Amino acid sequence: MAHSVRALPDAGGAPGGRNGGVPAAAGRALRGFRALILPTSCVGCGRRDTSLCRPCRRAFRRATVRPFRAEAGAGSLPLRDPATPETRTGAPPGAGDVGGGFEPLPVVAAGSYGGVVARALLAFKNAGHTDLARPLAAALGGALLAARAGLPAGPCLLVPVPTRGRSLRRRGYDPLGLLLDGLRRRGELPAGSRLARPVGHRHPGMRAGGRSAGIPWFAAARRGGQKGLGRRGRQENVAGSMRVRRRYRGRLQGVQCLVVDDVLTTGATLAEAVRALRAEGAAVAGAVVLAATPPPSGTELAYSEFRRNRRGEG
């Protein structure tokens, strides 16, 4: 029996009030003070006294105004659930005919990861440029609308990939959560959709099923993110690392979901979030990202790699 999206706990801010309440207010005040005393320059061209000048802002909009299907280059994505209707947002050539019955989870991206899009996203995530939230949120909102329009009518849960605790402590805010919470507050989420945070990270030393990851907790806690890792390394880094939070357990059966992340590379992080949701019976219809890295050698090679992964070859 499918559960009602309305009956699920509200997303509110990020877990622990990190995007709302006193901690977030203090963080905003600190970032505002830093902006007053430190010089700033455009992340796109270096022009002074603005984080994103008008020409670069226009370039950013042009690069993100047409969301597209991006799963072709991500060899670690999970399979599309055949029980969920296929999204109708424009698919890449050959996406519906991968061969052997293997079809990856549909992913809609706002833009390609490069140029001003990559620089703006990196500055927002890693350099404290939270003043870039509005143009980034607008791009993400457009991709969410495109993905939602390709799905059947009915409630849809928007599920962000959780940020790592270490990254949250280092930044002082959750970049993806900041964008999604802004869209929610302004009423800019797609009609019929609701933001929720049912997925979280396990204890650093544990994996799915309550099993130990086989490494000491202090070593696990030092594990970094996905940057710099290859496909296999990314898969191993996140395998079994996520779980559905207690208050959502037993309440996701049949609930249509779209998973949301910032950047799509191999798809390993999305795959882990999808695994956790599907373990609770959720119907994950697809994913949405702000930016996707381009396929290394074209669509055909990417889908060949995807087939090899699913068949256990190489």
PDB file of all heavy atoms in Angstrom, residues 244-260:
ATOM      1  N   VAL A 244      17.775   5.267   5.834  1.00  0.00           N
ATOM      2  CA  VAL A 244      16.584   6.078   6.037  1.00  0.00           C
ATOM      3  C   VAL A 244      16.443   6.365   7.527  1.00  0.00           C
ATOM      4  O   VAL A 244      16.581   5.467   8.358  1.00  0.00           O
ATOM      5  CB  VAL A 244      15.329   5.368   5.488  1.00  0.00           C
ATOM      6  CG1 VAL A 244      14.051   6.058   5.955  1.00  0.00           C
ATOM      7  CG2 VAL A 244      15.373   5.338   3.962  1.00  0.00           C
ATOM      8  N   ARG A 245      16.197   7.609   7.857  1.00  0.00           N
ATOM      9  CA  ARG A 245      16.093   8.008   9.254  1.00  0.00           C
ATOM     10  C   ARG A 245      14.887   7.350   9.932  1.00  0.00           C
ATOM     11  O   ARG A 245      13.869   7.070   9.294  1.00  0.00           O
ATOM     12  CB  ARG A 245      15.980   9.536   9.366  1.00  0.00           C
ATOM     13  CG  ARG A 245      17.237  10.261   8.906  1.00  0.00           C
ATOM     14  CD  ARG A 245      17.175  11.753   9.201  1.00  0.00           C
ATOM     15  NE  ARG A 245      18.468  12.377   8.947  1.00  0.00           N
ATOM     16  CZ  ARG A 245      18.799  13.010   7.836  1.00  0.00           C
ATOM     17  NH1 ARG A 245      17.906  13.121   6.862  1.00  0.00           N
ATOM     18  NH2 ARG A 245      19.999  13.542   7.687  1.00  0.00           N
ATOM     19  N   ARG A 246      15.006   7.150  11.229  1.00  0.00           N
ATOM     20  CA  ARG A 246      14.039   6.353  11.978  1.00  0.00           C
ATOM     21  C   ARG A 246      12.596   6.828  11.784  1.00  0.00           C
ATOM     22  O   ARG A 246      11.682   6.036  11.608  1.00  0.00           O
ATOM     23  CB  ARG A 246      14.416   6.390  13.463  1.00  0.00           C
ATOM     24  CG  ARG A 246      13.590   5.431  14.332  1.00  0.00           C
ATOM     25  CD  ARG A 246      13.986   5.572  15.797  1.00  0.00           C
ATOM     26  NE  ARG A 246      15.410   5.347  15.969  1.00  0.00           N
ATOM     27  CZ  ARG A 246      15.956   4.141  16.121  1.00  0.00           C
ATOM     28  NH1 ARG A 246      15.175   3.071  16.109  1.00  0.00           N
ATOM     29  NH2 ARG A 246      17.260   4.014  16.277  1.00  0.00           N
ATOM     30  N   ARG A 247      12.381   8.146  11.823  1.00  0.00           N
ATOM     31  CA  ARG A 247      10.996   8.626  11.782  1.00  0.00           C
ATOM     32  C   ARG A 247      10.330   8.425  10.432  1.00  0.00           C
ATOM     33  O   ARG A 247       9.115   8.611  10.303  1.00  0.00           O
ATOM     34  CB  ARG A 247      10.942  10.104  12.180  1.00  0.00           C
ATOM     35  CG  ARG A 247      11.692  11.054  11.257  1.00  0.00           C
ATOM     36  CD  ARG A 247      11.506  12.487  11.718  1.00  0.00           C
ATOM     37  NE  ARG A 247      12.252  13.436  10.897  1.00  0.00           N
ATOM     38  CZ  ARG A 247      11.932  14.704  10.802  1.00  0.00           C
ATOM     39  NH1 ARG A 247      10.895  15.184  11.460  1.00  0.00           N
ATOM     40  NH2 ARG A 247      12.661  15.516  10.055  1.00  0.00           N
ATOM     41  N   TYR A 248      11.121   8.085   9.401  1.00  0.00           N
ATOM     42  CA  TYR A 248      10.546   7.827   8.076  1.00  0.00           C
ATOM     43  C   TYR A 248      10.388   6.326   7.788  1.00  0.00           C
ATOM     44  O   TYR A 248       9.793   5.970   6.771  1.00  0.00           O
ATOM     45  CB  TYR A 248      11.439   8.431   6.987  1.00  0.00           C
ATOM     46  CG  TYR A 248      11.382   9.934   6.898  1.00  0.00           C
ATOM     47  CD1 TYR A 248      12.298  10.725   7.573  1.00  0.00           C
ATOM     48  CD2 TYR A 248      10.406  10.567   6.131  1.00  0.00           C
ATOM     49  CE1 TYR A 248      12.261  12.110   7.492  1.00  0.00           C
ATOM     50  CE2 TYR A 248      10.356  11.949   6.046  1.00  0.00           C
ATOM     51  CZ  TYR A 248      11.291  12.716   6.734  1.00  0.00           C
ATOM     52  OH  TYR A 248      11.233  14.080   6.645  1.00  0.00           O
ATOM     53  N   ARG A 249      10.920   5.481   8.638  1.00  0.00           N
ATOM     54  CA  ARG A 249      10.895   4.046   8.351  1.00  0.00           C
ATOM     55  C   ARG A 249       9.461   3.518   8.389  1.00  0.00           C
ATOM     56  O   ARG A 249       8.683   3.862   9.267  1.00  0.00           O
ATOM     57  CB  ARG A 249      11.779   3.295   9.352  1.00  0.00           C
ATOM     58  CG  ARG A 249      13.251   3.597   9.155  1.00  0.00           C
ATOM     59  CD  ARG A 249      14.119   2.972  10.216  1.00  0.00           C
ATOM     60  NE  ARG A 249      15.476   3.537  10.172  1.00  0.00           N
ATOM     61  CZ  ARG A 249      16.385   3.340  11.104  1.00  0.00           C
ATOM     62  NH1 ARG A 249      16.113   2.586  12.159  1.00  0.00           N
ATOM     63  NH2 ARG A 249      17.586   3.905  10.993  1.00  0.00           N
ATOM     64  N   GLY A 250       9.144   2.690   7.403  1.00  0.00           N
ATOM     65  CA  GLY A 250       7.808   2.140   7.296  1.00  0.00           C
ATOM     66  C   GLY A 250       6.788   3.105   6.716  1.00  0.00           C
ATOM     67  O   GLY A 250       5.596   2.785   6.684  1.00  0.00           O
ATOM     68  N   ARG A 251       7.248   4.277   6.245  1.00  0.00           N
ATOM     69  CA  ARG A 251       6.313   5.282   5.752  1.00  0.00           C
ATOM     70  C   ARG A 251       6.587   5.696   4.308  1.00  0.00           C
ATOM     71  O   ARG A 251       5.984   6.649   3.821  1.00  0.00           O
ATOM     72  CB  ARG A 251       6.390   6.525   6.649  1.00  0.00           C
ATOM     73  CG  ARG A 251       6.218   6.205   8.123  1.00  0.00           C
ATOM     74  CD  ARG A 251       6.379   7.408   9.015  1.00  0.00           C
ATOM     75  NE  ARG A 251       5.250   8.326   8.924  1.00  0.00           N
ATOM     76  CZ  ARG A 251       5.096   9.392   9.698  1.00  0.00           C
ATOM     77  NH1 ARG A 251       6.006   9.679  10.606  1.00  0.00           N
ATOM     78  NH2 ARG A 251       4.053  10.173   9.557  1.00  0.00           N
ATOM     79  N   LEU A 252       7.504   5.010   3.639  1.00  0.00           N
ATOM     80  CA  LEU A 252       7.880   5.388   2.273  1.00  0.00           C
ATOM     81  C   LEU A 252       7.390   4.401   1.213  1.00  0.00           C
ATOM     82  O   LEU A 252       7.653   4.602   0.024  1.00  0.00           O
ATOM     83  CB  LEU A 252       9.405   5.530   2.167  1.00  0.00           C
ATOM     84  CG  LEU A 252      10.032   6.661   2.993  1.00  0.00           C
ATOM     85  CD1 LEU A 252      11.555   6.601   2.882  1.00  0.00           C
ATOM     86  CD2 LEU A 252       9.527   8.022   2.523  1.00  0.00           C
ATOM     87  N   GLN A 253       6.686   3.356   1.622  1.00  0.00           N
ATOM     88  CA  GLN A 253       6.234   2.344   0.674  1.00  0.00           C
ATOM     89  C   GLN A 253       5.398   2.964  -0.439  1.00  0.00           C
ATOM     90  O   GLN A 253       4.378   3.605  -0.186  1.00  0.00           O
ATOM     91  CB  GLN A 253       5.414   1.277   1.397  1.00  0.00           C
ATOM     92  CG  GLN A 253       4.961   0.125   0.505  1.00  0.00           C
ATOM     93  CD  GLN A 253       6.112  -0.740   0.029  1.00  0.00           C
ATOM     94  OE1 GLN A 253       7.022  -1.045   0.806  1.00  0.00           O
ATOM     95  NE2 GLN A 253       6.092  -1.147  -1.224  1.00  0.00           N
ATOM     96  N   GLY A 254       5.861   2.822  -1.680  1.00  0.00           N
ATOM     97  CA  GLY A 254       5.117   3.310  -2.835  1.00  0.00           C
ATOM     98  C   GLY A 254       5.167   4.806  -3.064  1.00  0.00           C
ATOM     99  O   GLY A 254       4.546   5.301  -4.012  1.00  0.00           O
ATOM    100  N   VAL A 255       5.903   5.554  -2.232  1.00  0.00           N
ATOM    101  CA  VAL A 255       5.967   7.013  -2.379  1.00  0.00           C
ATOM    102  C   VAL A 255       6.902   7.362  -3.543  1.00  0.00           C
ATOM    103  O   VAL A 255       8.045   6.927  -3.590  1.00  0.00           O
ATOM    104  CB  VAL A 255       6.471   7.677  -1.081  1.00  0.00           C
ATOM    105  CG1 VAL A 255       6.685   9.177  -1.295  1.00  0.00           C
ATOM    106  CG2 VAL A 255       5.482   7.437   0.053  1.00  0.00           C
ATOM    107  N   GLN A 256       6.392   8.142  -4.495  1.00  0.00           N
ATOM    108  CA  GLN A 256       7.193   8.556  -5.642  1.00  0.00           C
ATOM    109  C   GLN A 256       8.230   9.591  -5.212  1.00  0.00           C
ATOM    110  O   GLN A 256       7.903  10.582  -4.563  1.00  0.00           O
ATOM    111  CB  GLN A 256       6.291   9.146  -6.722  1.00  0.00           C
ATOM    112  CG  GLN A 256       7.033   9.583  -7.975  1.00  0.00           C
ATOM    113  CD  GLN A 256       6.101  10.006  -9.090  1.00  0.00           C
ATOM    114  OE1 GLN A 256       6.037   9.373 -10.133  1.00  0.00           O
ATOM    115  NE2 GLN A 256       5.354  11.084  -8.890  1.00  0.00           N
ATOM    116  N   CYS A 257       9.499   9.359  -5.572  1.00  0.00           N
ATOM    117  CA  CYS A 257      10.588  10.223  -5.132  1.00  0.00           C
ATOM    118  C   CYS A 257      11.467  10.662  -6.293  1.00  0.00           C
ATOM    119  O   CYS A 257      11.656   9.924  -7.264  1.00  0.00           O
ATOM    120  CB  CYS A 257      11.482   9.492  -4.121  1.00  0.00           C
ATOM    121  SG  CYS A 257      10.675   8.991  -2.607  1.00  0.00           S
ATOM    122  N   LEU A 258      12.003  11.866  -6.165  1.00  0.00           N
ATOM    123  CA  LEU A 258      13.102  12.346  -6.992  1.00  0.00           C
ATOM    124  C   LEU A 258      14.258  12.671  -6.049  1.00  0.00           C
ATOM    125  O   LEU A 258      14.090  13.423  -5.094  1.00  0.00           O
ATOM    126  CB  LEU A 258      12.708  13.612  -7.767  1.00  0.00           C
ATOM    127  CG  LEU A 258      11.853  13.454  -9.017  1.00  0.00           C
ATOM    128  CD1 LEU A 258      11.424  14.822  -9.533  1.00  0.00           C
ATOM    129  CD2 LEU A 258      12.609  12.701 -10.110  1.00  0.00           C
ATOM    130  N   VAL A 259      15.427  12.088  -6.306  1.00  0.00           N
ATOM    131  CA  VAL A 259      16.603  12.349  -5.490  1.00  0.00           C
ATOM    132  C   VAL A 259      17.327  13.566  -6.076  1.00  0.00           C
ATOM    133  O   VAL A 259      17.436  13.699  -7.297  1.00  0.00           O
ATOM    134  CB  VAL A 259      17.539  11.129  -5.450  1.00  0.00           C
ATOM    135  CG1 VAL A 259      18.757  11.406  -4.578  1.00  0.00           C
ATOM    136  CG2 VAL A 259      16.781   9.921  -4.910  1.00  0.00           C
ATOM    137  N   VAL A 260      17.826  14.448  -5.212  1.00  0.00           N
ATOM    138  CA  VAL A 260      18.442  15.698  -5.654  1.00  0.00           C
ATOM    139  C   VAL A 260      19.884  15.755  -5.150  1.00  0.00           C
ATOM    140  O   VAL A 260      20.150  15.489  -3.979  1.00  0.00           O
ATOM    141  CB  VAL A 260      17.657  16.923  -5.145  1.00  0.00           C
ATOM    142  CG1 VAL A 260      18.198  18.201  -5.774  1.00  0.00           C
ATOM    143  CG2 VAL A 260      16.164  16.766  -5.438  1.00  0.00           C
TER     144      VAL A 260
END
